[in-house]
């Protein structure tokens, strides 16, 4: 089988309703790879969904093309490029469609925010930024998003034992320089709550 980048993308990041259209490598003057651009297109037969209720809705118009930073392929900066549609939702009026790799106006794809957040547990945020050719701020925002996502999807059922700890944060000994940290300490699951 001829392996194409599209084959890999469809295996790791398949978005129903969207297709990987065109993948281009841009080079520096001296020929070194500069960035990879992955253009996405709507799938012809599947209507767009309202970003607020996720219900299919008829198209209204199309916004200008924008790009999202994606996980680097072979450590070459990689971007998704897509012109989102606006839809006419029966409930919400004219709104931008649901774009499954994106969260609102963030310029970084969800996959890249997860990728950076995971590495930021092993490396410092500065090292993570350097290793993956992005900025400290991008790592910081990704971790922030990841933590918020984790809190919103946190399930507290089945917690039988907890441990409480207090850690000192910063220089002074004032009360707000101490954080109370609560862990689940069951034998099957130990995690920071
Ligand atoms: Zn809607």
């Amino acid at each position: 089988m001829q392996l194409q980048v599209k084959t890999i993308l469809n295996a790791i990041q398949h978005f129903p309703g969207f297709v990987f259209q065109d993948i281009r490598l841009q080079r520096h003057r001296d020929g070194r790879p500069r960035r990879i651009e992955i253009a996405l297109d709507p799938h012809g037969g599947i209507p767009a969904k309202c970003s607020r209720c996720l219900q299919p809705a008829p198209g209204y118009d199309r916004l200008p093309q924008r790009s999202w930073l994606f996980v680097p392929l072979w450590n070459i900066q990689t971007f998704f490029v897509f012109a989102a549609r606006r839809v006419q939702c029966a409930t919400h009026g004219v709104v931008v469609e649901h774009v499954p790799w994106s969260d609102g106006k963030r310029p970084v794809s969800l996959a890249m925010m997860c990728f950076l957040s995971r590495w930021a547990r092993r490396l410092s945020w500065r090292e993570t930024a350097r290793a993956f050719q992005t900025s400290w701020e991008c790592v910081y925002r990704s971790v922030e998003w990841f933590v918020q996502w984790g809190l919103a999807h946190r399930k507290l059922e089945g917690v039988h034992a907890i441990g409480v700890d207090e850690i000192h944060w910063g220089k002074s000994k004032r009360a707000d320089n101490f954080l109370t940290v609560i862990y689940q300490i069951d034998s099957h699951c130990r995690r920071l709550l």
Side-chain angles (χ1 to χ4, degrees):
M1 174 176 122
Q2 180 80 25
L3 179 64
Q4 296 188 325
V5 178
K6 266 185 213 182
T7 313
I8 299 175
L9 287 167
N10 277 317
I12 56 168
Q13 284 271 276
H14 175 64
F15 302 113
F18 301 87
V19 289
F20 295 108
Q21 190 57 40
D22 190 46
I23 299 162
R24 283 174 193 274
L25 173 65
Q26 295 184 0
R27 295 170 185 277
H28 289 286
R29 287 230 173 114
D30 62 6
R32 278 181 306 118
R34 190 167 76 85
R35 59 190 261 164
I36 296 171
E37 283 193 0
I38 300 168
L40 286 111
D41 253 346
H43 186 294
I46 303 176
K49 290 177 184 152
C50 165
S51 53
R52 295 186 54 195
C53 61
L54 302 185
Q55 294 303 308
Y60 180 78
D61 64 359
R62 211 151 172 192
L63 296 172
Q65 186 172 286
R66 55 173 277 216
S67 63
W68 290 259
L69 187 65
F70 185 61
V71 181
L73 302 175
W74 297 276
N75 218 8
I76 304 165
Q77 268 204 323
T78 299
F79 293 85
F80 278 174
V81 179
F82 181 63
R85 294 159 288 180
R86 287 200 300 169
V87 295
Q88 177 105 50
C89 173
T91 315
H92 299 105
V94 175
V95 290
V96 68
E97 70 174 306
H98 170 62
V99 179
W101 58 86
S102 170
D103 182 8
K105 293 195 164 44
R106 288 173 187 271
V108 182
S109 65
L110 303 183
M112 181 56 162
M113 289 197 285
C114 294
F115 179 84
L116 290 174
S117 302
R118 293 214 173 92
W119 276 103
R121 293 165 77 162
R122 297 167 168 247
L123 305 174
S124 75
W125 293 359
R126 190 169 306 280
E127 283 169 315
T128 306
R130 228 177 255 153
F132 302 110
Q133 302 171 63
T134 181
S135 63
W136 181 90
E137 189 181 353
C138 178
V139 177
Y140 165 76
R141 297 219 176 281
S142 299
V143 172
E144 192 184 37
W145 173 85
F146 198 73
V147 169
Q148 290 305 325
W149 190 92
L151 290 176
H153 294 82
R154 180 175 56 180
K155 289 198 170 65
L156 293 177
E157 296 98 69
V159 177
H160 298 290
I162 59 167
V164 180
D165 200 1
E166 201 153 68
I167 60 168
H168 183 231
W169 175 266
K171 287 205 174 79
S172 103
K173 296 278 180 194
R174 287 182 309 150
D176 36 337
N177 282 103
F178 288 89
L179 297 176
T180 303
V181 190
I182 301 175
Y183 300 91
Q184 176 177 2
I185 50 168
D186 290 313
S187 58
H188 68 283
C189 179
R190 290 172 172 272
R191 59 177 174 152
L192 177 65
L193 297 174

